[in-house]
Amino acid sequence: MATIEQKGIETEPHPDVALVERVRAGEVEAYDTLVRKYERQIFRIANHITQNREDAEDVMQDAFLKAYQKLDQFQGNSKFYTWLVRIAVNESLMRLRKRRTAKTVSIDEDVETEEGSVPRDLADWAPNPEQNFDQAQLKEILGKTIQGLPRGFRVVFVLRDVEGLSTQETADALDLSVPAVKSRLLRARLQLRERLSKYFKKAGVPLPVEDEVEG
Amino acid sequence: MKCTEFLQLLDDELDQKMAAEVRAAIESHTLKCEHCEVVFNTTLKTIAIYRSNEVYELPPDLRERLHAAIMAKCKSCK
């Protein structure tokens, strides 16, 4: 069984800490290393939130510039990456607000709070179902599917499952509680699974609808 | 364990954070319930597919252009 999150006990300072210290001491070149390390992730996160490539490009630039300007405010009690993601999330939301004047944009938008029910009508997937599509088709399916999720679910799934932040780091980056992250993550995972089933299910008859099984 | 209880524990199980006895109960449930086994396996697969296929890639030329712009802005703001 694969492990989604691996947590180790950190005994040594994160390598970013030394880079941050060098930047604070006036060595701009050390920031080049940090930007190069995280620019792709920040671009992806901004794209997932704004769903607009030009906005994502602007957010990426603004987030790194803001982080650089505010580096003295970085406390070091969270990872630099988590702090950077938080800035990028806020910049992305600001960008959306600019596009939709006079309308509040938040990470909570479109998020419903009722609990999900047990999926009853479902089909198993073919083995390695992604291999039935070429890379461009697969990318289109994955993009279309995740874009259909409410933003508040999408961003939690992206930070937690795609970019590999821990539940606590995701909560910190989005200013959410840990239970809220866990609840949204479950809903996001199940909704994506259900939507992808349309493309990945095995040919044949779906499993029969059954009453709840106990045991 | 009922299917609804299994679903509530699914996240922790996917993250491999379960206590041994809870994991045993989950495994016992999925042996009896094909639906929950399918939900578990396909959800795990959903995560794996999204992890290994980037929806939004940053093309190398755009990456270099944006990187240069970021560093130029940082240098000029000091």
Side-chain angles (χ1 to χ4, degrees):
Chain A
M1 204 177 276
T3 303
I4 298 303
E5 184 181 31
Q6 290 178 330
K7 269 197 163 178
I9 298 164
E10 289 184 26
T11 50
E12 289 182 11
H14 195 278
D16 290 350
V17 173
L19 287 167
V20 167
E21 284 310 315
R22 282 168 56 195
V23 181
R24 278 175 168 162
E27 199 183 323
V28 187
E29 290 70 26
Y31 198 59
D32 192 281
T33 310
L34 285 168
V35 175
R36 204 161 281 288
K37 190 170 173 183
Y38 296 123
E39 57 199 359
R40 282 176 304 162
Q41 292 93 314
I42 296 300
F43 178 76
R44 287 198 295 261
I45 292 165
N47 242 314
H48 275 293
I49 298 174
T50 63
Q51 309 222 57
N52 179 289
R53 180 162 159 159
E54 283 176 15
D55 281 347
E57 290 179 22
D58 289 343
V59 166
M60 177 184 155
Q61 295 182 72
D62 292 348
F64 278 109
L65 181 62
K66 195 164 265 186
Y68 181 75
Q69 289 169 326
K70 291 184 165 186
L71 207 56
D72 285 339
Q73 294 173 26
F74 172 60
Q75 299 289 323
N77 48 10
S78 65
K79 281 185 194 159
F80 172 76
Y81 178 50
T82 311
W83 184 71
L84 180 65
V85 167
R86 191 184 171 112
I87 293 172
V89 168
N90 287 333
E91 289 293 318
S92 300
L93 294 176
M94 273 175 57
R95 187 72 43 176
L96 288 174
R97 284 182 200 115
K98 275 184 196 168
R99 281 188 176 271
R100 303 182 191 182
T101 46
K103 188 175 177 190
T104 310
V105 175
S106 83
I107 218 67
D108 296 324
E109 200 167 292
D110 300 331
V111 170
E112 294 161 9
T113 49
E114 82 269 19
E115 288 305 311
S117 57
V118 182
R120 291 281 88 196
D121 185 11
L122 55 89
D124 201 359
W125 290 5
N128 302 313
E130 68 275 31
Q131 290 175 5
N132 295 330
F133 302 89
D134 67 33
Q135 194 59 34
Q137 286 173 321
L138 182 63
K139 207 172 199 177
E140 195 189 332
I141 289 169
L142 297 178
K144 204 163 56 180
T145 303
I146 198 165
Q147 280 166 18
L149 285 189
R151 185 184 307 120
F153 290 172
R154 193 168 68 229
V155 70
V156 167
F157 178 81
V158 167
L159 295 188
R160 183 70 187 73
D161 280 343
V162 181
E163 303 300 341
L165 271 69
S166 69
T167 305
Q168 183 64 57
E169 287 167 345
T170 304
D172 291 346
L174 299 177
D175 219 4
L176 290 171
S177 68
V178 165
V181 168
K182 287 170 80 80
S183 156
R184 289 176 192 206
L185 184 62
L186 177 62
R187 300 281 305 278
R189 286 167 164 176
L190 290 176
Q191 284 191 20
L192 285 176
R193 186 208 68 81
E194 192 164 338
R195 288 161 195 229
L196 287 180
S197 286
K198 188 166 87 179
Y199 306 99
F200 294 164
K201 68 184 174 192
K202 263 185 199 164
V205 186
L207 294 177
V209 177
E210 288 175 2
D211 290 332
E212 188 158 40
V213 174
E214 183 158 8
Chain B
M1 180 182 289
K2 289 183 177 178
C3 298
T4 41
E5 292 168 298
F6 168 83
L7 198 66
Q8 282 162 12
L9 294 167
L10 179 64
D11 254 24
D12 284 335
E13 173 64 5
L14 288 166
D15 296 337
Q16 298 271 294
K17 281 179 166 177
M18 308 305 297
E21 64 270 25
V22 184
R23 167 156 302 137
I26 285 173
E27 284 172 4
S28 158
H29 179 79
T30 51
L31 281 174
K32 289 177 192 149
C33 180
E34 198 179 355
H35 278 90
C36 284
E37 188 188 17
V38 167
V39 169
F40 177 77
N41 288 333
T42 52
T43 305
L44 204 60
K45 186 71 184 170
T46 297
I47 297 165
I49 288 176
Y50 271 102
R51 273 201 173 173
S52 53
N53 295 278
E54 289 172 10
V55 174
Y56 299 111
E57 278 179 272
L58 181 56
D61 54 339
L62 177 62
R63 183 182 179 184
E64 288 311 314
R65 186 165 61 75
L66 293 174
H67 183 92
I70 290 165
M71 291 314 297
K73 284 180 188 170
C74 290
K75 281 172 185 165
S76 68
C77 79
K78 267 285 165 183

